[in-house]
Amino acid sequence: EVQLVESGGGLVQPGGSLRLSCEVSGFTFSSYWMHWVRQAPGKGLVWVSRIDSDGSTTNYADSVKGRFTISRDNAKNTLYLQMNSLRAEDTAVYYCVRPFTGTNAFDMWGQGTMVTVSS
Amino acid sequence: DIVMTQSPDSLAVSLGERATINCKSSQSLLYRSNSKNYLAWYQQKPGQPPKLLIYWASTRESGVPDRFSGSGSETDFSLTISSLQAEDVAVYYCQQHYGIPLSFGGGTKVEIK
């Protein structure tokens, strides 16, 4: 069974940092690009970032470029999102997602981890 | 960047009736090389992550009931639920999976009338 389990969310002050993790199982993690998608409370879905299968290529939404860093450890089957200089508008549920093979449509989602940026 | 616009924002339909959601992209999602439209649809129920229903505009994900269908090409797409069931109450999102940055529509809330 495919599983994606996020962790690391919580309450952080504006300007602070947080590192999210996503541990996966049930599929060959090292063969897949992986993404992060976020959803602010009561709002829609927003793509955040992606990383290729060996970690050499990354892309970011303009809203997080220069502040967030995506990375992975294929030996640990784990995806990461390092979030620095956090702002109130970064408050959201962050989902770790796997794309369907050959597309950037997402067939597997974690349950999400909540990040709240507030003083 | 590709902007995705969904309509309506919400929709109330009687059980057993048809529900149609529209999605428009700011540029074509059709890859000429393979004749595929890179448009996906998701269903999200309260407290749950989204679930992929359809990709390449009209290909149903495995296990998705056949009352869900996708259509359209280039910039105009739609998701149709042919006979609304109680379990279909949810928010539905379209997403372009054509290019980076990926982008979603604003969502359509489907309720029972």
Side-chain angles (χ1 to χ4, degrees):
Chain A
E1 181 193 7
V2 171
Q3 284 197 307
L4 298 85
V5 180
E6 302 95 337
S7 61
L11 175 64
V12 60
Q13 292 188 337
S17 298
L18 217 50
R19 188 198 201 200
L20 306 184
S21 299
C22 171
E23 189 168 349
V24 314
S25 59
F27 66 98
T28 305
F29 179 64
S30 58
S31 297
Y32 285 83
W33 290 65
M34 293 293 294
H35 299 240
W36 289 97
V37 172
R38 70 185 181 184
Q39 186 171 35
K43 302 297 184 183
L45 301 165
V46 177
W47 176 80
V48 174
S49 181
R50 74 169 180 174
I51 187 168
D52 72 346
S53 56
D54 67 6
S56 60
T57 300
T58 59
N59 300 100
Y60 299 91
D62 284 347
S63 59
V64 307
K65 203 172 293 182
R67 300 187 299 122
F68 289 12
T69 302
I70 190 172
S71 62
R72 65 192 297 159
D73 185 335
N74 286 344
K76 294 183 177 179
N77 285 345
T78 303
L79 177 72
Y80 302 101
L81 187 67
Q82 176 68 42
M83 303 186 297
N84 299 331
S85 303
L86 281 161
R87 307 166 179 167
E89 54 265 35
D90 296 319
T91 294
V93 173
Y94 284 75
Y95 294 104
C96 166
V97 294
R98 187 192 81 172
F100 183 77
T101 303
T103 76
N104 279 315
F106 304 124
D107 66 342
M108 291 295 166
W109 296 66
Q111 286 299 311
T113 187
M114 182 70 203
V115 171
T116 302
V117 184
S118 174
S119 54
Chain B
D1 296 1
I2 300 174
V3 177
M4 305 300 292
T5 304
Q6 277 183 244
S7 62
D9 292 336
S10 64
L11 185 59
V13 176
S14 301
L15 287 172
E17 297 299 304
R18 178 185 300 260
T20 300
I21 300 166
N22 301 302
C23 177
K24 182 179 281 285
S25 60
S26 61
Q27 65 185 70
S28 176
L29 304 182
L30 176 64
Y31 262 121
R32 303 285 176 185
S33 59
N34 61 9
S35 299
K36 292 185 185 296
N37 287 280
Y38 281 61
L39 188 282
W41 289 98
Y42 300 85
Q43 174 193 66
Q44 186 177 32
K45 297 180 179 180
Q48 296 183 19
K51 173 188 174 184
L52 178 65
L53 297 176
I54 286 169
Y55 56 96
W56 288 331
S58 60
T59 303
R60 257 191 310 275
E61 169 72 325
S62 175
V64 173
D66 61 7
R67 64 179 180 273
F68 291 93
S69 64
S71 63
S73 185
E74 301 212 34
T75 61
D76 290 278
F77 303 90
S78 60
L79 174 71
T80 299
I81 309 171
S82 60
S83 176
L84 191 75
Q85 305 300 303
E87 61 266 31
D88 300 333
V89 169
V91 178
Y92 293 83
Y93 295 93
C94 62
Q95 178 225 341
Q96 63 84 9
H97 54 107
Y98 182 94
I100 299 297
L102 303 172
S103 48
F104 294 84
T108 296
K109 187 174 186 178
V110 174
E111 300 172 308
I112 305 294
K113 186 187 291 183

